[in-house]
């Protein structure tokens, strides 16, 4: 047996996991209407008390208040270059790509090695604001989350019990004049999952194709937060990259064609920014790779003397 939980992941429950309370259904604000009483983001506390915590996500990042941290070195992306056959589905809240074994992330002052389990996206409508996190108040058209858990854990249910059990990599999208050819297989597959609970296969795609070039990923923001959907567990180490992914208006519009369970447009699938409270947002210096290359060059020169 399994159930959808948190970020839409379909989790096979162990006997211990079954003891956790089953979440009530929840909605995004775009689903709330006079004819539907499903709790929107402002009422998610009634679904899970953790949604009212003091370390919730997403947040608005005020760049002038970020703290530079030289420990935030470039991340190591393992298996991101491998092309796989992915399982894509409309889980009723978003589009989700389930990830195979062998994909993970490490470095960048993360507590451990983390393995990827899925990615999903949040978007607006007609190119309007749709990202969950904002930068200096700017909301992007779409945001992608690649969800990882510590390698020692077998499921998200285990990882949420650890304050740093989950590592999510966040990528912002910008509208571009030309199509992003790397996204063509994924965008084309969306036509097969218009209805909730529908599935499609995507072949010949690697995670590296879906993110900016790794050389541009040295600058990022880091803070401690939560899952952005109920049960809003405060167990997430967030990494948000400054470099954006370009998609054309036509490609973005393919996401707006998906449908919620009630048959309405799947639009504005984001939680509003939450209070930062007493948390700090750290910023990578972005020059760690340059420093390492300088040290390497110096060692080579010294060895020749």
């Amino acid at each position: 047996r399994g159930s959808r939980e948190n970020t839409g992941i379909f989790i096979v429950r162990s006997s211990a996991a079954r003891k956790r309370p089953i979440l009530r259904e929840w909605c995004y604000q775009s689903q709330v209407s006079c004819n539907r009483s499903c709790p929107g983001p402002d009422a998610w506390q009634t679904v899970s008390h953790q949604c009212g915590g003091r370390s919730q996500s997403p947040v608005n990042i005020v760049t002038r208040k970020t703290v530079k941290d030289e420990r935030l070195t470039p991340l190591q992306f393992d298996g991101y270059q491998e092309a796989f056959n992915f399982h894509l589905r409309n889980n009723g809240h978003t589009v989700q790509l389930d990830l195979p074994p062998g994909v993970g992330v490490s470095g960048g002052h993360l507590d451990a090695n983390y393995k990827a389990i899925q990615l999903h996206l949040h978007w607006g409508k007609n190119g309007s604001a749709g990202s969950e996190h904002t930068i200096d108040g700017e909301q992007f058209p779409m945001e992608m989350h690649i969800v990882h858990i510590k390698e020692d854990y077998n499921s998200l249910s285990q990882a949420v019990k650890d304050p740093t059990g989950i590592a999510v990599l966040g990528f912002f999208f910008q509208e571009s004049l030309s199509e992003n050819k790397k996204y063509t297989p994924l965008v084309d597959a969306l036509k097969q999952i218009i209805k909730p609970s529908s599935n499609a296969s995507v072949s010949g795609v690697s995670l590296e194709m879906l993110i900016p070039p790794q050389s541009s990923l040295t600058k990022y923001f880091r803070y401690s937060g939560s899952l952005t959907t109920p049960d809003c567990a405060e167990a997430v180490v967030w990494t948000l990259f400054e470099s954006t992914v370009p998609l054309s208006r036509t490609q973005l519009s393919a996401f707006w064609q998906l449908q919620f369970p009630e048959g309405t447009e799947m639009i504005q699938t984001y939680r509003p920014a939450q209070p930062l409270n007493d948390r700090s947002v750290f910023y990578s210096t972005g020059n760690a790779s340059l420093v390492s290359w300088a040290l390497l060059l110096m060692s080579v020169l010294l060895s020749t003397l």
Side-chain angles (χ1 to χ4, degrees), residues 267-301:
I267 55 172
Q268 298 168 331
T269 58
Y270 59 87
R271 185 188 194 188
Q274 303 298 299
L276 188 61
N277 294 319
D278 55 356
R279 288 175 289 172
S280 295
V281 177
F282 300 94
Y283 181 59
S284 66
T285 56
N287 60 4
S289 58
L290 297 177
V291 171
S292 62
W293 274 107
L295 291 173
L296 177 62
L297 180 60
M298 184 178 295
S299 66
V300 170
L301 290 173

Side-chain angles (χ1 to χ4, degrees), residues 124-130 138-143 172-180 244-253 256:
K125 179 185 180 182
N126 298 332
S128 64
E138 178 185 359
Q139 194 173 10
F140 297 83
M142 191 158 69
E143 180 176 340
F172 298 113
F173 289 71
Q174 290 276 30
E175 185 176 327
S176 64
L177 295 176
S178 58
E179 286 194 357
N180 184 339
T244 58
V245 179
L247 279 191
S248 69
R249 170 59 70 97
T250 300
Q251 290 177 308
L252 286 168
S253 68
W256 315 328

Side-chain angles (χ1 to χ4, degrees), residues 138-200:
E138 178 185 359
Q139 194 173 10
F140 297 83
M142 191 158 69
E143 180 176 340
M144 178 170 66
H145 295 159
I146 305 181
V147 183
H148 305 71
I149 60 175
K150 283 184 178 177
E151 284 186 340
D152 292 342
Y153 299 134
N154 296 318
S155 68
L156 192 74
S157 296
Q158 291 180 345
V160 295
K161 298 172 185 176
D162 179 343
T164 59
I166 305 166
V168 179
L169 306 186
F171 299 88
F172 298 113
F173 289 71
Q174 290 276 30
E175 185 176 327
S176 64
L177 295 176
S178 58
E179 286 194 357
N180 184 339
K181 299 296 185 183
K182 295 178 180 179
Y183 265 77
T184 299
L186 176 61
V187 171
D188 287 348
L190 294 178
K191 300 171 187 175
Q192 302 175 47
I193 61 166
I194 300 296
K195 302 290 185 182
S197 301
S198 52
N199 304 277

Side-chain angles (χ1 to χ4, degrees), residues 8-285:
I9 300 171
F10 190 84
I11 302 173
V12 177
R13 291 181 176 276
S14 65
S15 58
R18 290 193 190 101
K19 295 177 182 178
R20 296 182 69 202
I22 297 174
L23 293 176
R24 287 173 50 205
E25 187 52 69
W26 53 270
C27 299
Y28 286 111
Q29 193 58 44
S30 58
Q31 297 173 268
V32 178
S33 67
C34 296
N35 300 322
R36 196 157 190 260
S37 59
C38 186
D42 291 343
W44 283 357
Q45 264 184 275
T46 65
V47 178
S48 170
H49 71 90
Q50 292 186 96
C51 296
R54 289 184 55 80
S55 297
Q56 289 291 291
S57 297
V59 298
N60 174 48
I61 294 174
V62 180
T63 54
R64 64 180 176 82
K65 292 184 178 180
T66 58
V67 180
K68 285 191 176 181
D69 189 341
E70 294 184 356
R71 297 172 300 176
L72 299 181
T73 55
L75 279 77
Q76 304 299 314
F77 300 91
D78 304 312
Y80 271 59
Q81 304 81 13
E82 301 295 326
F84 295 101
N85 293 327
F86 292 107
H87 181 65
L88 185 73
R89 60 193 175 92
N90 176 340
N91 66 18
H93 296 298
T94 183
V95 56
Q96 178 172 310
L97 199 66
D98 295 325
L99 302 177
V103 181
V105 66
S106 59
H109 196 50
L110 291 172
D111 275 2
N113 294 338
Y114 290 78
K115 57 186 178 184
I117 54 175
Q118 59 104 311
L119 73 77
H120 62 270
L121 300 104
H122 302 267
W123 59 86
K125 179 185 180 182
N126 298 332
S128 64
S131 68
E132 295 210 296
H133 290 88
T134 54
I135 307 294
D136 292 326
E138 178 185 359
Q139 194 173 10
F140 297 83
M142 191 158 69
E143 180 176 340
M144 178 170 66
H145 295 159
I146 305 181
V147 183
H148 305 71
I149 60 175
K150 283 184 178 177
E151 284 186 340
D152 292 342
Y153 299 134
N154 296 318
S155 68
L156 192 74
S157 296
Q158 291 180 345
V160 295
K161 298 172 185 176
D162 179 343
T164 59
I166 305 166
V168 179
L169 306 186
F171 299 88
F172 298 113
F173 289 71
Q174 290 276 30
E175 185 176 327
S176 64
L177 295 176
S178 58
E179 286 194 357
N180 184 339
K181 299 296 185 183
K182 295 178 180 179
Y183 265 77
T184 299
L186 176 61
V187 171
D188 287 348
L190 294 178
K191 300 171 187 175
Q192 302 175 47
I193 61 166
I194 300 296
K195 302 290 185 182
S197 301
S198 52
N199 304 277
S201 295
V202 183
S203 60
V205 174
S206 67
L207 285 185
E208 189 176 57
M209 296 168 59
L210 304 180
I211 65 176
Q214 289 189 29
S215 59
S216 69
L217 299 181
T218 59
K219 293 185 178 181
Y220 57 86
F221 302 97
R222 168 70 55 75
Y223 80 100
S224 298
S226 73
L227 297 172
T228 64
T229 58
D231 60 2
C232 308
E234 294 180 345
V236 182
V237 179
W238 280 96
T239 303
L240 300 163
F241 293 93
E242 206 172 68
S243 186
T244 58
V245 179
L247 279 191
S248 69
R249 170 59 70 97
T250 300
Q251 290 177 308
L252 286 168
S253 68
F255 291 87
W256 315 328
Q257 310 309 312
L258 301 183
Q259 294 180 2
F260 285 125
E262 60 270 23
T264 59
E265 292 178 298
M266 187 178 281
I267 55 172
Q268 298 168 331
T269 58
Y270 59 87
R271 185 188 194 188
Q274 303 298 299
L276 188 61
N277 294 319
D278 55 356
R279 288 175 289 172
S280 295
V281 177
F282 300 94
Y283 181 59
S284 66
T285 56

